[in-house]
């Protein structure tokens, strides 16, 4: 019955399917896949890919229907074929959307950003990370740099802005995305501590990313302790260890402007105020009822 009744009808339906009408073909093809032989699945997939390719060249990033039609096939199409389809038709349009995207803290519109983030779990992660690094984070870092270098920047606004963007990213589990976010946090730390802010794209800035990437450990965990840290992560400074641990836990290590304890700057660590003594090394935390 599968060979003589079901497969001919499925094939005829796929042949008559017009993706421009935005009918989600997976709804009536996927239920049959567990029953079909691989050669029959490959024949159907070949026809579906051909139909999709014939219309995707005209697709624009604002049209979410392409994601609705494509995403259910991610784990059905051969991985190499899927990547080729995505790289050829989807990635260039997403890059274009981010290139047109304006980062404006005073009046932020997120349309293009949201169009791109819709694809975050569908596109192979290395392609998504590259698109974000080149076409989003370069602008994002520049906006933060100029804001921090402006006369009397409002650090509370900048921290809120940073936290807002951090909450919009579904790819924070990716090491490279965490590094790019951490670079923004590092610029905020420099400004809050009265240091010169390193401009994005400079040798020092790029060296930070490359150096952090090379020395990042496979497991970014700090040993549990009560106030005093044991052996820090290999090749990381004491402060960088604390920053890495904070990021792993989804927290910020952010200087509290103008706040000091025994000559050391006070940091916001989640909801706790802390001081870092890199000499001992010791973390001092202000807890309820004392320090």
């Amino acid at each position: 019955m599968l060979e003589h009744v079901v497969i001919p009808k499925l094939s005829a339906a796929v042949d008559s399917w017009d993706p421009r009408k935005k009918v989600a073909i997976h709804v009536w093809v996927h239920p049959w896949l567990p029953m079909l032989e691989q050669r029959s699945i490959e024949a159907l997939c070949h026809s579906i890919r051909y139909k999709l390719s014939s219309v995707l060249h005209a697709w624009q990033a604002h049209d979410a229907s392409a994601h609705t039609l494509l995403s259910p096939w991610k784990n059905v199409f051969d991985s190499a074929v899927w990547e080729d389809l995505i790289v050829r038709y989807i990635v260039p349009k997403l890059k274009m959307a981010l290139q047109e995207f304006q980062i404006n803290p005073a009046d932020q519109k997120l349309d293009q950003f949201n169009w791109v983030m819709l694809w975050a779990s569908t596109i192979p992660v290395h392609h998504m990370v590259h698109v974000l690094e080149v076409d989003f984070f370069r602008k994002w870092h520049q906006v933060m740099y100029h804001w921090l270098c402006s006369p009397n920047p409002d650090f509370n606004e900048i921290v809120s802005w940073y936290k807002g963007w951090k909450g919009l990213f579904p790819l924070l589990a990716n090491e490279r995305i965490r590094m790019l976010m951490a670079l923004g946090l590092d610029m905020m730390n420099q400004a809050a501590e009265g240091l010169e802010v390193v401009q994005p794209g400079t040798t020092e800035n790029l060296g930070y990313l490359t150096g952090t990437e090379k020395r990042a450990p496979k497991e970014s965990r700090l040993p549990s302790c009560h106030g005093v840290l044991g052996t820090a992560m290999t090749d990381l400074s004491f402060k960088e260890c604390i920053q890495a641990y904070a990021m792993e836990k989804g927290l910020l290590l952010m200087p509290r402007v103008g706040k000091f304890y025994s000559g050391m700057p006070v940091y916001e660590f989640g909801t706790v105020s802390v001081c870092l003594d890199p000499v001992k090394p010791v973390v001092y935390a202000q807890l309820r009822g004392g320090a």
Side-chain angles (χ1 to χ4, degrees):
M1 286 188 65
L2 284 173
E3 185 174 352
H4 297 290
V5 178
V6 174
I7 293 176
K9 290 190 175 183
L10 282 176
S11 298
V14 168
D15 289 341
S16 63
W17 174 58
D18 185 353
R20 291 173 297 183
K21 295 181 179 179
K22 302 179 181 179
V23 176
I25 194 173
H26 71 279
V27 173
W28 43 274
V29 174
H30 280 196
W32 292 101
L33 295 182
M35 306 178 199
L36 302 181
E37 295 181 354
Q38 187 60 31
R39 59 184 177 86
S40 299
I41 295 174
E42 290 175 358
L44 290 174
C45 287
H46 177 78
S47 299
I48 292 168
R49 287 198 307 272
Y50 177 79
K51 292 283 187 101
L52 289 170
S53 299
S54 67
V55 299
L56 282 175
H57 69 279
W59 171 76
Q60 298 300 320
H62 68 270
D63 184 357
S65 66
H67 183 267
T68 303
L69 294 179
L70 266 178
S71 57
W73 297 97
K74 177 181 178 180
N75 297 320
V76 178
F77 291 172
D78 176 79
S79 59
V81 172
W82 173 258
E83 184 169 0
D84 178 73
L85 191 70
I86 291 294
V87 170
R88 183 176 299 184
Y89 297 108
I90 304 301
V91 169
K93 302 296 177 65
L94 299 185
K95 286 177 65 67
M96 190 180 303
L98 282 181
Q99 287 164 7
E100 296 171 355
F101 178 57
Q102 299 296 316
I103 300 176
N104 182 4
D107 183 24
Q108 187 63 65
K109 294 178 173 59
L110 293 171
D111 291 349
Q112 287 106 328
F113 181 81
N114 290 333
W115 301 342
V116 175
M117 286 299 101
L118 176 65
W119 293 88
S121 62
T122 306
I123 291 178
V125 67
H126 59 287
H127 289 295
M128 193 69 189
V129 169
H130 180 71
V131 168
L132 289 171
E133 179 169 357
V134 173
D135 298 302
F136 172 79
F137 275 105
R138 285 183 182 176
K139 289 192 287 190
W140 188 78
H141 287 143
Q142 285 291 345
V143 168
M144 178 177 285
Y145 172 77
H146 289 296
W147 194 357
L148 289 168
C149 292
S150 64
N152 301 316
D154 188 326
F155 282 95
N156 289 327
E157 286 187 359
I158 297 173
V159 170
S160 296
W161 184 77
Y162 177 91
K163 289 180 177 179
W165 277 111
K166 188 171 181 284
L168 292 176
F169 273 92
L171 292 171
L172 287 176
N174 180 271
E175 183 180 3
R176 188 67 180 176
I177 295 296
R178 292 202 307 271
M179 289 179 189
L180 291 164
M181 292 296 296
L183 184 55
L185 183 59
D186 204 53
M187 286 194 289
M188 287 193 289
N189 282 330
Q190 292 163 3
E193 295 172 10
L195 304 174
E196 181 181 356
V197 181
V198 178
Q199 184 172 4
T202 60
T203 304
E204 295 90 341
N205 183 282
L206 294 174
Y208 169 86
L209 284 176
T210 305
T212 305
E213 189 172 44
K214 286 179 179 178
R215 68 192 181 194
K218 294 181 179 178
E219 293 291 333
S220 56
R221 296 184 180 276
L222 290 173
S224 60
C225 60
H226 298 282
V228 181
L229 288 174
T231 303
M233 293 183 290
T234 306
D235 295 333
L236 292 179
S237 72
F238 179 63
K239 182 179 175 182
E240 287 170 338
C241 288
I242 303 300
Q243 286 178 322
Y245 182 73
M247 291 193 69
E248 181 185 335
K249 300 301 180 183
L251 304 173
L252 287 178
L253 182 68
M254 184 69 200
R256 299 186 63 185
V257 181
K259 300 291 185 180
F260 293 89
Y261 173 77
S262 297
M264 297 178 291
V266 177
Y267 292 83
E268 172 190 334
F269 186 83
T271 59
V272 179
S273 294
V274 301
C275 290
L276 309 181
D277 186 339
V279 178
K280 294 186 178 179
V282 176
V283 177
Y284 297 96
Q286 185 177 26
L287 306 175
R288 291 181 180 178

